């Protein structure tokens, strides 16, 4: 049985029909999903009532799931260690307030970023399962960074070509005022330098690689101008023509490529429960400028 691929936006994002993540999936189907993923960058799998174990098993078809290194804020599930909790409800089913440390840290995902870019070999992709979705906001927006790179005005292109930016996990706490990582967590994840223009290892295409929440420095630039350059690049990228906005339905699973997209979620009423479980596929190689 083949899959059906229905594009949701001209720039990126497609719906995949004909998959049941609870059932075994053959190699030809995995290949068809991979091909669609490389073409559309963000895939939406509607109506996948998976357990965390099934979610992790499906993720393994595409690589090794990442285990989040930070344990102090309980964003990593205590039950299934490959699950990252993108939720305002804890594992004891308690609705949390926006002032709680984990929620402050999660609020950083309202700014454009790509997952785990602070690792020496950043994540390949992520799969987010919407278990309890928001109706007041919580729209997850994605940008095609290949298109952004291709369309960069000359003035901006000159400033990023051949240049590296630093990605620091600790930057998060400075951006949103959440507790800084512990000394141990900091030692486990020292800042790393990655090219600002990267070459995709599968498609060979170049994309802009930046992060509003992890970039804390740019090679050869003072802090102020570096910050402003990231803001200017982000503003250029965040145009509707490059963006797919995912409005969630219960039990959507959305799978995105962290190498050529950035994402950001819109705010929602904090009194409304939002329970989302994410797996993250570990990177297999360093970022290369191509
Ligand atoms: C993520 C993230 C998106 C969302 O899961 O990586 O940034 O919709 N959040 O909450
Ligand atoms: Mn994210």
């Amino acid at each position: 049985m083949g899959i059906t691929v229905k594009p949701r936006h001209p720039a990126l994002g497609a719906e995949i029909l004909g998959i049941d993540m609870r059932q075994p999936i053959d190699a030809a189907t995995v290949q068809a999903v991979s091909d669609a993923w490389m073409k559309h960058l963000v895939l939406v799998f509607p109506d996948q009532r998976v357990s965390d174990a099934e979610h992790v098993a499906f993720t393994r078809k595409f690589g090794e799931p990442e285990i989040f290194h930070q344990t102090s804020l309980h964003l990593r599930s205590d039950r299934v260690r490959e699950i990252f909790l993108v939720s305002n409800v804890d594992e004891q089913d308690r609705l949390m307030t926006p002032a709680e440390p984990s929620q402050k840290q999660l609020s950083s995902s309202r700014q454009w970023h790509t997952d785990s870019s602070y690792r020496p070999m950043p994540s390949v992709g992520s799969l987010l399962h919407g278990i309890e979705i928001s109706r007041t906001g919580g729209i997850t927006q994605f940008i095609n960074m290949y298109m952004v790179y291709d369309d960069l005005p000359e003035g901006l292109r000159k400033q990023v070509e051949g240049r590296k930016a630093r990605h620091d996990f600790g930057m998060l706490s400075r951006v949103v005022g959440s507790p800084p990582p512990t000394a141990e967590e900091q030692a486990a994840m020292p800042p790393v330098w990655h090219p600002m223009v990267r070459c995709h290892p599968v498609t060979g295409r170049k994309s802009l690689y930046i992060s509003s929440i992890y970039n804390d420095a740019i090679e050869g630039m003072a802090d102020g101008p570096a910050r402003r350059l990231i803001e200017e690049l982000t503003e250029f990228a965040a145009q509707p023509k490059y963006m797919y906005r995912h409005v969630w339905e219960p039990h959507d699973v959305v799978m995105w490529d962290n190498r050529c997209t950035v994402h950001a979620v819109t705010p929602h009423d904090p009194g409304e429960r939002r329970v989302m479980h994410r797996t993250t596929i570990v990177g297999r190689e360093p970022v290369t400028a191509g």
Side-chain angles (χ1 to χ4, degrees), residues 2-290:
I3 59 166
T4 302
V5 182
K6 288 193 191 169
R8 286 213 173 170
H9 187 278
L12 76 170
E15 184 176 323
I16 304 292
L17 302 176
I19 295 275
D20 181 348
M21 292 183 190
R22 294 169 306 188
Q23 304 297 327
I25 296 177
D26 61 38
T29 305
V30 171
Q31 190 58 51
V33 171
S34 288
D35 292 347
W37 195 28
M38 293 307 100
K39 186 169 173 199
H40 297 283
L41 288 53
V42 174
L43 300 182
V44 177
F45 300 88
D47 203 26
Q48 302 292 334
R49 289 164 193 274
V50 284
S51 65
D52 288 338
E54 288 161 341
H55 178 172
V56 171
F58 183 77
T59 302
R60 282 192 195 284
K61 301 284 178 193
F62 304 92
E64 189 62 30
E66 185 179 298
I67 314 285
F68 187 47
H69 72 287
Q70 186 187 40
T71 51
S72 52
L73 297 185
H74 292 279
L75 289 166
R76 185 172 104 191
S77 166
D78 291 331
R79 295 175 187 155
V80 178
R81 57 207 287 270
E82 294 89 348
I83 294 287
F84 180 91
L85 304 166
V86 188
S87 302
N88 65 357
V89 176
D90 70 16
E91 290 192 299
Q92 285 69 48
D93 208 42
R94 182 181 62 91
L95 180 68
M96 293 180 275
T97 73
E100 293 182 47
S102 70
Q103 297 305 298
K104 270 198 168 167
Q105 184 157 314
L106 271 188
S107 73
S108 65
S109 58
R110 293 184 203 144
Q111 301 186 48
W112 296 103
H113 69 282
T114 170
D115 299 331
S116 302
S117 67
Y118 51 79
R119 287 179 172 256
M121 294 196 268
S123 159
V124 166
S126 303
L127 292 92
L128 187 59
H129 175 202
I131 298 169
E132 291 181 51
I133 56 110
S134 167
R135 293 288 184 199
T136 64
I139 294 169
T140 313
Q141 312 173 105
F142 298 90
I143 294 176
N144 180 334
M145 297 300 268
Y146 293 135
M147 290 177 80
V148 169
Y149 171 74
D150 289 345
D151 287 359
L152 270 186
E154 194 54 29
L156 286 175
R157 182 189 303 268
K158 277 207 201 110
Q159 295 185 72
V160 297
E161 207 79 65
R163 217 168 199 167
K164 287 186 173 179
R166 193 165 65 184
H167 298 243
D168 181 7
F169 178 74
M171 168 88 170
L172 259 192
S173 58
R174 300 192 287 276
V175 172
V176 294
S178 56
T182 64
E184 213 173 47
E185 288 162 356
Q186 221 154 335
M189 219 45 85
V192 290
W193 292 88
H194 295 308
M196 299 182 80
V197 176
R198 67 177 294 176
C199 180
H200 196 289
V202 179
T203 65
R205 291 184 67 189
K206 285 186 172 185
S207 65
L208 180 67
Y209 193 58
I210 55 166
S211 172
S212 303
I213 61 176
Y214 298 128
N215 281 153
D216 72 331
I218 295 178
E219 215 171 44
M221 286 184 93
D223 288 353
R227 195 70 217 147
R228 283 194 289 280
L229 177 56
I230 296 296
E231 280 168 13
E232 211 181 329
L233 290 164
T234 303
E235 194 184 312
F236 178 80
Q239 300 186 54
K241 63 180 170 183
Y242 306 132
M243 192 187 303
Y244 167 63
R245 304 179 80 239
H246 184 67
V247 178
W248 289 86
E249 287 300 326
H251 297 292
D252 283 341
V253 172
V254 177
M255 174 177 183
W256 62 85
D257 190 329
N258 280 315
R259 300 165 294 187
C260 54
T261 65
V262 291
H263 58 274
V265 64
T266 66
H268 68 100
D269 173 358
E272 183 186 38
R273 289 166 62 101
R274 187 172 190 259
V275 178
M276 323 276 283
H277 287 186
R278 193 187 85 200
T279 52
T280 315
I281 305 168
V282 296
R284 298 175 289 244
E285 55 219 324
V287 178
T288 58

